[in-house]
């Protein structure tokens, strides 16, 4: 399963000059949706057997999120960290993660959060599946059945849909799927001594094209970051019996309707 360490979104600041997140401006935590993803994977392991491997791409301090994942029931933790991974957009991030998964060998199911609280794109999970050429279902709020070669899930896209896909597959999960467990002190202490493997760009060389990692592999470019000004916003409340007519008139005046 895949987890991302994110900055505390209430406190984080942006470096307007470079167009990047100033990670030193806020403490880091595991993306909350990824705790639901981890809980999903650990529950499946407890029911059906197998092993849960957690992968995160990020700076060296992301190791603390991986240790937390080990305390919560993961069996193996891998940190992808290298200056050559830096500046990655979602395409390069997902490509790097998919390359690491390819290096791991065979697997049945990849579980991701539906999105992160900082980047918030929800693109990485489905992109990883596309890179690996496996089916995926997003916004999964319930795993109904798992057999040797299939998984039956409910996806919440406003309305709920039932999907059956063949394994290996990837799912991204919503917060409604479960309540993540709190690790015991014993598990936390055990995880502190556990090994977190560190993989750099060279170690993935035989499994993907290293030119597709980081900034070099990114198709998007942040040209400018601006904070929208509050004064720019306007709100008008229409009340009374003729509210709808006046709303239509106002929208017409602004050119939103002919
Ligand atoms: C041009 C550009 C440059 C960027 N440069 C940087 C940079 O220099 N440094 C930087 O930190 N960010 C950078 N970013 C942001 C970076 O692209 C995103 O942090 C990353 O791709 C994840 O996207 P997201 O947060 O929207 O994840 P989502 O798609 O919302 O995440 C969905 C799920 O995917 C998994 N996931 C996402 N990211 C990771 C990860 N890193 N490791 C493991 N699992 C993951 C998790 O399960 C998560 O719940 C840049 C973005 C752009 C567009």
């Amino acid at each position: 399963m895949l987890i991302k360490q994110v900055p505390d979104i209430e406190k984080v600041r942006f470096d307007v000059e470079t167009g990047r997140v100033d990670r030193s401006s806020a403490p880091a935590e595991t993306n909350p949706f990824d705790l639901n993803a981890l809980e999903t994977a650990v529950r499946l392991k407890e029911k059906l057997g197998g092993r849960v491997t957690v992968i995160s791409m990020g700076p060296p301090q992301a190791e603390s999120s991986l240790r937390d994942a080990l305390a919560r029931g993961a069996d193996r933790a891998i940190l992808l960290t290298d200056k050559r991974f830096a500046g990655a957009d979602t395409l390069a991030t997902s490509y790097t993660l998919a390359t690491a998964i390819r290096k791991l060998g065979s697997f049945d199911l990849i579980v991701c959060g539906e999105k992160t609280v900082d980047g918030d794109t929800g693109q990485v999970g489905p992109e990883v599946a596309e890179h690996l050429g496996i089916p995926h279902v997003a916004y999964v709020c319930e795993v109904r059945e798992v057999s040797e070669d299939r998984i039956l899930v409910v996806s919440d896209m406003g309305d709920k849909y039932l999907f059956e896909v063949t394994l290996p597959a990837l799912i991204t999960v919503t917060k409604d799927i479960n309540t993540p467990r709190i690790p015991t002190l014993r598990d936390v202490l055990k995880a502190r001594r556990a090994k977190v493997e560190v993989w750099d760009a060279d170690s993935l060389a035989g499994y993907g094209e290293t030119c597709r990692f980081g900034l070099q592999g990114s198709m998007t470019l942040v040209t400018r970051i601006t904070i929208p000004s509050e004064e720019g916003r306007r709100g008008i409340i229409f009340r009374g019996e003729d509210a709808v007519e006046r709303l239509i008139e106002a929208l017409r005046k602004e050119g939103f309707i002919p």
Side-chain angles (χ1 to χ4, degrees):
M1 68 133 319
L2 304 175
I3 63 169
K4 182 185 176 191
Q5 192 173 67
V6 294
D8 183 335
I9 211 68
E10 299 287 315
K11 299 188 182 127
V12 74
R13 288 196 302 266
F14 292 93
D15 184 333
V16 181
E17 293 290 309
T18 60
R20 287 191 180 178
V21 174
D22 175 8
R23 292 192 184 272
S24 62
S25 65
E29 59 184 18
T30 302
N31 178 46
F33 292 96
D34 299 351
L35 295 182
N36 297 93
L38 175 62
E39 183 65 31
T40 306
V42 173
R43 283 188 195 185
L44 285 173
K45 175 186 82 168
E46 287 167 349
K47 202 167 150 200
L48 304 164
R51 279 167 61 79
V52 175
T53 300
V54 194
I55 305 178
S56 186
M57 184 181 99
Q61 53 268 33
E63 187 192 308
S64 59
S65 281
L66 289 168
R67 283 200 190 280
D68 179 57
L70 290 169
R72 289 170 193 264
D75 302 288
R76 183 178 178 189
I78 299 164
L79 175 63
L80 307 180
T81 194
D82 193 311
K83 285 211 158 55
R84 282 174 286 169
F85 297 147
D89 64 4
T90 60
L91 187 69
T93 300
S94 56
Y95 183 78
T96 310
L97 291 167
T99 305
I101 293 166
R102 223 175 274 127
K103 177 174 168 168
L104 276 176
S106 67
F107 60 89
D108 298 308
L109 184 67
I110 303 170
V111 192
C112 302
E114 68 160 271
K115 61 179 180 181
T116 61
V117 292
D118 62 342
D120 198 18
T121 66
Q123 292 172 2
V124 170
E127 285 178 2
V128 167
E130 289 298 318
H131 291 306
L132 293 170
I134 57 171
H136 60 88
V137 185
Y139 308 113
V140 170
C141 62
E142 187 189 338
V143 175
R144 213 163 258 187
E145 270 173 46
V146 189
S147 66
E148 206 145 283
D149 61 348
R150 272 162 205 280
I151 186 167
L152 185 69
V153 294
V154 180
S155 165
D156 186 354
M157 294 190 251
D159 292 324
K160 291 192 173 161
Y161 298 90
L162 197 59
F163 286 104
E164 188 178 52
V165 290
T166 52
L167 297 174
L170 181 147
I171 57 171
T172 76
V173 304
T174 69
K175 282 192 92 60
D176 295 331
I177 194 163
N178 54 40
T179 305
R181 70 193 62 192
I182 312 247
T184 62
L185 181 62
R186 197 168 149 260
D187 290 334
V188 172
L189 293 175
K190 203 170 140 210
R192 240 185 239 172
R193 293 188 300 271
K195 186 177 171 210
V196 171
E197 294 166 54
V198 178
W199 290 1
D200 61 9
D202 285 339
S203 71
L204 298 182
Y207 304 89
E209 299 163 47
T210 50
C211 61
R212 294 177 69 180
F213 298 160
L215 195 59
Q216 205 189 352
S218 297
M219 296 292 127
T220 46
L221 179 71
V222 179
T223 51
R224 196 162 61 101
I225 290 185
T226 54
I227 296 164
S229 80
E230 287 289 327
E231 302 89 66
R233 293 182 177 182
R234 274 183 296 147
I236 310 170
I237 298 173
F238 297 96
R239 291 201 171 88
E241 280 183 6
D242 61 344
V244 173
E245 284 82 8
R246 285 192 292 131
L247 171 65
I248 291 171
E249 188 49 41
L251 290 174
R252 192 167 286 140
K253 214 167 135 197
E254 295 288 341
F256 291 119
I257 52 175

